[in-house]
Amino acid sequence: EPEVTQTPSHQVTQMGQEVILRCVPISNHLYFYWYRQILGQKVEFLVSFYNNEISEKSEIFDDQFSVERPDGSNFTLKIRSTKLEDSAMYFCASSDGRNSAPHNEQFFGPGTRLTVL
Amino acid sequence: AQKVTQAQTEISVVEKEDVTLDCVYETRDTTYYLFWYKQPPSGELVFLIRRNSFDEQNEISGRYSWNFQKSTSSFNFTITASQVVDSAVYFCALTLGGGISNFGNEKLTFGTGTRLTIIP
């Protein structure tokens, strides 16, 4: 069964460093998302991406964040200068987005745990 | 803006008891989808169910059942004869359905989750 994959599973970085979190969405999906979950808290939407551009972003997704689909398979989240409060689990998700259903079902990857020291 | 409220932060029950997790949502849209996800200690998000706003039929899947009531904006989740493996955090979530040109690009709005502990 196709699945969303994410690498690395755990990333430790120093404050101020740049990190890139990688995701491989399900191959025929059209919509891609990043969500964040600070430890013990709820899952929060960061950004959605369609047709090579951002379709929606939350207040959390400030200028320190960027997303890219550099080739036909990868979808990346870059944090330019990490802060302590960026420590969280980051989930990538993808959805088909077509009328054929399952409509609006987002398939989640296993997450990348980012620890900023 | 949409909102999902899970008032129960933590619930503990003894194994084999039934337990209901509450979810109340807010949206002004008439077309929307409701979800439940399970997050076990390993951290991944496991999809459990999706329900659209036009389908108020209750659903049963094995020991799991869901009660969707638009009149009270609730989408509650019941586990019957609970087992230790059911111990997890459970999230209720909402996404808008959009119009005919708006498929699959709506963000999920999650509740704060309910931590369920099943005591052996």
Side-chain angles (χ1 to χ4, degrees):
Chain A
E1 187 174 325
E3 57 183 17
V4 177
T5 59
Q6 290 185 243
T7 54
S9 57
H10 190 187
Q11 173 92 47
V12 181
T13 190
Q14 295 289 328
M15 191 170 58
Q17 294 296 305
E18 173 183 287
V19 295
I20 297 176
L21 309 183
R22 301 180 193 281
C23 168
V24 179
I26 294 174
S27 63
N28 63 343
H29 282 187
L30 301 179
Y31 292 90
F32 315 112
Y33 314 81
W34 283 101
Y35 291 83
R36 178 182 83 174
Q37 185 183 29
I38 294 172
L39 185 64
Q41 298 186 22
K42 68 176 178 180
V43 180
E44 301 173 289
F45 169 77
L46 289 178
V47 64
S48 59
F49 191 86
Y50 169 70
N51 200 25
N52 283 320
E53 60 183 25
I54 290 173
S55 50
E56 187 176 359
K57 60 183 180 180
S58 72
E59 299 164 351
I60 303 168
F61 194 87
D62 61 22
D63 292 343
Q64 295 281 40
F65 291 89
S66 62
V67 289
E68 194 178 31
R69 189 155 162 81
D71 53 42
S73 60
N74 289 285
F75 178 51
T76 61
L77 173 69
K78 182 193 290 186
I79 309 175
R80 262 180 269 286
S81 178
T82 49
K83 304 189 278 279
L84 295 176
E85 53 264 38
D86 293 327
S87 294
M89 180 77 94
Y90 288 81
F91 290 102
C92 174
S94 69
S95 66
D96 182 285
R98 278 174 273 252
N99 193 21
S100 57
H103 186 175
N104 276 340
E105 180 171 347
Q106 295 179 24
F107 294 79
F108 282 82
T112 293
R113 182 167 298 285
L114 176 65
T115 302
V116 182
L117 302 175
Chain B
Q2 52 269 31
K3 184 179 176 183
V4 176
T5 301
Q6 294 179 257
Q8 304 151 307
T9 307
E10 294 191 31
I11 299 176
S12 294
V13 299
V14 176
E15 196 173 18
K16 296 184 183 166
E17 287 185 355
D18 299 347
V19 58
T20 295
L21 310 182
D22 297 334
C23 172
V24 173
Y25 62 92
E26 295 175 32
T27 178
R28 292 186 177 180
D29 282 58
T30 55
T31 304
Y32 52 88
Y33 291 78
L34 295 163
F35 299 78
W36 276 95
Y37 286 86
K38 174 182 180 180
Q39 187 174 44
S42 49
E44 73 271 26
L45 287 167
V46 179
F47 167 81
L48 295 177
I49 190 171
R50 177 187 65 254
R51 171 67 71 215
N52 76 55
S53 53
F54 299 108
D55 182 3
E56 282 193 79
Q57 274 194 326
N58 292 332
E59 180 156 341
I60 298 175
S61 176
R63 295 184 297 106
Y64 295 169
S65 62
W66 291 269
N67 184 317
F68 176 29
Q69 293 197 343
K70 287 177 79 169
S71 60
T72 54
S73 297
S74 65
F75 185 45
N76 297 337
F77 172 32
T78 297
I79 302 175
T80 304
S82 59
Q83 300 176 1
V84 172
V85 294
D86 296 326
S87 295
V89 180
Y90 290 85
F91 290 97
C92 181
L94 167 76
T95 186
L96 302 182
I100 195 167
S101 61
N102 187 20
F103 295 113
N105 67 342
E106 289 288 349
K107 64 185 179 188
L108 277 163
T109 298
F110 284 83
T112 49
T114 297
R115 180 176 299 280
L116 176 64
T117 302
I118 309 299
I119 303 165

